[in-house]
């Protein structure tokens, strides 16, 4: 385990860089006003021929499920807009209304530009023809000419890493190969507005990272994207703004960090079956990251050289009073494997209360021994606070993404110093 050689903690540190996506000032391209949607669900279905004969005049009773209630929002050109909520909150219904798959019972939607809905990866694929033919077919369905769709076949196969299976029928593909192909086809859309439902959890860890890199490129290129997801990390990483739905109503709309906080409260506030009701460790959003950075000998840095120490700093702000807060830092590689861990608590002067007050800031900085091989890594901090005896609350915050660069034999996950001797052993009796 690597530990910092020095750690400095202070309060009320000034912020150098706010970690926020920033607003988008383009024209409004999606305007939804007063959207309502209700489904009629039969309480008792008469499915069999026998039931129809025995009860020919039986009335089918229905109950109403109000999926959306007076939902209004705007999306601007070039904005990456997230829609989040618990299962059954209405987020997929809202996306299908935007895509004209469902018709709203009330309200209006105005959309400027051609939308491309990706509600379920792989819809429209023909399992009895090859991947190559499916790519062309789906490209034409997305609005490409047949010539243009054929021209992009190689790009789709290269991204999906399926070039050697291009002429294999899809019915012989594994589920992982299928979603990789479907995601790669989706990226070829030239539509002005992309409507996407839960597509980031596709393929293995390496392919997921590739997908996330593409989403960053699309965001930086100014594509207008509406993303429905449960992944709060994706919301914070990609979205300029986000909308939280609960029971068909908007709970919060705005900054992704605030939406994440509200979402976790809905999931872990101690309701029926909630983790808080069972006691123990529960997520609790009670701090935010104000600033984070890497350093070299003289200035801020972006990446770390192989074998050089990891010099880093971070500033956190308490969103409520934190009793006995602890900061646990976990470093992960791009496959999600934990590489090392260390913990730090506040260094307070004698006589000060063992707490960080709401609005107060803590600076944590120092140097960590670097055993990491070349590759991409993520540093995450779990902020823990003690609430009641035996009751610990946690909040995970992404602190840094960085790359260790250099050349080293591609063996093992870490580079270690070895003080080991090897010598011939003398036979006994000599």
């Amino acid at each position: 385990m690597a530990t910092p050689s020095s750690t400095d903690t202070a309060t009320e540190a000034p912020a150098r860089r706010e970690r926020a996506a920033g607003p988008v000032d383009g024209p409004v391209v999606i305007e939804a006003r007063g959207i309502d949607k209700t489904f009629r669900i039969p309480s008792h279905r008469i499915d069999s021929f026998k039931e129809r004969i025995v009860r020919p005049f039986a009335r089918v009773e229905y109950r109403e499920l109000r999926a959306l209630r007076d939902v209004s929002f705007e999306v601007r050109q070039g904005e990456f807009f997230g829609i989040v909520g618990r299962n059954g909150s209405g987020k997929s219904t809202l996306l299908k209304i935007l895509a004209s798959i469902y018709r709203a019972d009330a309200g209006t939607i105005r959309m400027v530009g051609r939308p491309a809905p990706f509600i379920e990866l792989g819809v429209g694929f023909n399992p009895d023809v090859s991947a190559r033919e499916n790519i062309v077919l789906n490209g034409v369905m997305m609005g490409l000419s047949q010539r243009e769709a054929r021209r992009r076949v190689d790009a789709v196969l290269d991204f999906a890493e399926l070039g050697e299976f291009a002429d294999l029928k899809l019915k012989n593909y594994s589920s992982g190969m299928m979603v990789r192909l479907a995601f790669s086809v989706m990226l070829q859309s030239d539509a002005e507005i992309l409507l996407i439902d839960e597509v980031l959890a596709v393929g293995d860890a390496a392919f997921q990272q590739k997908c996330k890199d593409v989403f960053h490129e699309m965001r930086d290129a100014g594509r207008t994207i509406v993303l429905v997801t449960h992944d709060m990390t994706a919301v914070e990483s990609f979205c300029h703004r986000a909308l939280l739905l609960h029971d068909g109503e908007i709970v919060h709309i705005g900054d992704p960090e605030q939406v994440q906080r509200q979402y976790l409260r809905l999931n872990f506030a101690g309701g029926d079956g909630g983790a808080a009701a069972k006691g123990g460790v529960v997520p609790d959003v009670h701090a935010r990251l104000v600033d984070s950075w890497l350093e070299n000998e003289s200035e801020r840095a972006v990446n770390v050289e192989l074998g050089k120490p990891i010099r880093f700093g971070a500033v956190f702000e308490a969103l409520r009073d934190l009793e006995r807060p602890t900061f646990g830092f976990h470093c992960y590689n791009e496959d999600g494997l934990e590489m090392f861990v260390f913990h730090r608590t506040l260094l307070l002067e004698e006589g000060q209360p063992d707490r960080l007050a709401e609005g107060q800031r803590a600076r944590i900085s120092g140097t960590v021994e670097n055993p990491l091989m070349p590759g991409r890594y993520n540093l995450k901090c779990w902020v823990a606070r003690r609430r009641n005896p035996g009751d610990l609350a946690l909040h995970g915050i992404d602190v840094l993404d960085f790359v260790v660069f250099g050349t080293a034999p591609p063996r093992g996950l870490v580079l270690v110093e070895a003080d080991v001797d090897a010598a011939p052993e003398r036979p006994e009796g000599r």
Side-chain angles (χ1 to χ4, degrees):
M1 178 185 297
T3 55
S5 60
S6 65
T7 303
D8 174 50
T9 304
T11 56
E12 298 295 346
R16 300 186 192 177
R17 176 177 56 85
E18 295 291 334
R19 286 174 60 94
V24 172
D25 297 326
V28 174
V29 293
I30 300 176
E31 182 183 54
R33 290 287 177 265
I35 303 300
D36 277 9
K37 181 64 179 178
T38 300
F39 294 99
R40 295 180 71 218
I41 303 174
S43 302
H44 175 70
R45 297 180 61 181
I46 302 177
D47 295 320
S48 68
F49 184 67
K50 179 181 178 181
E51 280 185 289
R52 292 189 180 275
I53 293 177
V54 174
R55 305 174 61 194
F57 303 107
R59 294 184 57 187
V60 180
E61 296 182 355
Y62 294 88
R63 64 181 178 89
E64 288 192 345
L65 173 63
R66 195 169 181 189
L68 295 173
R69 307 164 185 255
D70 193 26
V71 173
S72 301
F73 64 95
E74 295 178 348
V75 179
R76 296 186 175 275
Q77 183 177 350
E79 188 171 26
F80 207 123
F81 188 83
I83 299 177
V84 302
R86 303 175 68 183
N87 290 333
S89 62
K91 55 189 184 299
S92 292
T93 299
L94 177 57
L95 197 69
K96 289 176 180 178
I97 290 175
L98 294 177
S100 299
I101 297 172
Y102 289 164
R103 176 179 294 179
D105 297 331
T108 60
I109 291 178
R110 184 179 67 88
M111 192 172 297
V112 180
R114 181 168 59 90
F118 299 98
I119 308 300
E120 183 177 345
L121 288 178
V123 170
F125 278 171
N126 184 343
D128 292 317
V129 301
S130 69
R132 190 182 303 276
E133 292 171 286
N134 270 287
I135 293 170
V136 175
L137 176 62
N138 276 263
V140 172
M141 290 171 61
M142 291 189 304
L144 302 177
S145 68
Q146 188 172 1
R147 175 180 295 180
E148 181 64 18
R150 291 189 182 280
R151 191 181 68 82
R152 300 191 187 191
V153 167
D154 289 340
V156 172
L157 293 171
D158 287 345
F159 187 89
E161 301 168 7
L162 295 171
E164 59 184 307
F165 306 105
D167 298 308
L168 185 67
K169 292 183 178 180
L170 288 197
K171 65 183 179 182
N172 297 315
Y173 270 32
S174 68
S175 58
M177 294 166 68
M178 187 78 76
V179 295
R180 280 158 52 189
L181 179 65
F183 186 90
S184 303
V185 169
M186 183 199 77
L187 297 179
Q188 298 303 315
S189 173
D190 291 333
E192 292 88 354
I193 300 170
L194 300 182
L195 307 174
I196 304 174
D197 190 0
E198 288 287 7
V199 299
L200 286 176
V202 298
D204 55 26
F207 191 77
Q208 287 182 31
Q209 184 59 55
K210 183 189 278 192
C211 297
K212 291 176 181 178
D213 290 342
V214 169
F215 267 68
H216 277 296
E217 292 172 6
M218 294 169 69
R219 179 189 183 278
D220 295 341
R223 299 289 298 273
T224 303
I225 300 174
V226 178
L227 174 68
V228 166
T229 184
H230 285 285
D231 186 351
M232 291 299 103
T233 301
V235 171
E236 282 200 301
S237 298
F238 303 123
C239 295
H240 298 94
R241 291 187 305 134
L243 178 154
L244 174 61
L245 285 173
H246 183 62
D247 290 338
E249 298 182 305
I250 294 179
V251 174
H252 188 83
I253 183 171
D255 180 70
E257 185 178 291
Q258 298 292 331
V259 169
Q260 182 201 49
R261 183 176 305 126
Q262 295 283 355
Y263 175 80
L264 290 177
R265 285 175 180 167
L266 284 175
N267 279 272
F268 300 101
D272 293 342
K278 301 175 184 177
V281 178
V282 300
D284 180 28
V285 183
H286 47 245
R288 75 181 183 97
L289 182 65
V290 176
D291 191 13
S292 65
W293 64 91
L294 289 172
E295 297 175 348
N296 55 28
E297 288 80 357
S298 58
E299 59 185 1
R300 288 199 177 195
V302 177
N303 300 312
V304 180
E305 187 175 353
L306 178 71
K308 298 289 187 181
I310 301 172
R311 298 182 174 90
F312 84 102
V315 176
F316 299 89
E317 181 179 295
L319 299 176
R320 64 186 68 189
D321 291 350
L322 304 183
E323 299 293 335
R324 289 175 285 166
T326 300
F327 301 86
F329 290 88
H330 298 240
C331 181
Y332 302 90
N333 69 4
E334 60 184 348
D335 293 325
L337 296 176
E338 192 171 70
M339 307 305 294
F340 61 78
V341 179
F342 62 89
H343 295 81
R344 283 298 177 268
T345 56
L346 290 178
L347 299 178
L348 300 171
E349 296 179 3
E350 187 175 354
Q352 285 188 330
D354 189 10
R355 63 194 287 268
L356 195 65
E358 179 180 351
Q360 202 170 17
R361 293 181 175 180
R363 176 189 293 267
I364 300 176
S365 61
T367 303
V368 182
E369 178 186 346
N370 179 15
L372 302 175
M373 295 288 281
R376 182 177 299 165
Y377 298 91
N378 170 259
L379 186 65
K380 190 179 187 75
C381 179
W382 287 93
V383 183
R385 70 183 178 100
R386 190 68 65 172
R387 298 194 296 187
N388 299 308
D391 186 8
L392 182 66
L394 295 175
H395 176 200
I397 301 175
D398 286 317
V399 178
L400 287 169
D401 288 307
F402 63 96
V403 171
V404 174
F405 65 92
T407 57
R411 297 174 182 172
L413 296 177
V414 295
L415 194 66
V416 297
E417 297 291 337
D419 185 10
V420 179
D421 295 324
E425 188 176 54
R426 291 183 180 181
E428 293 183 6
R430 293 187 182 179

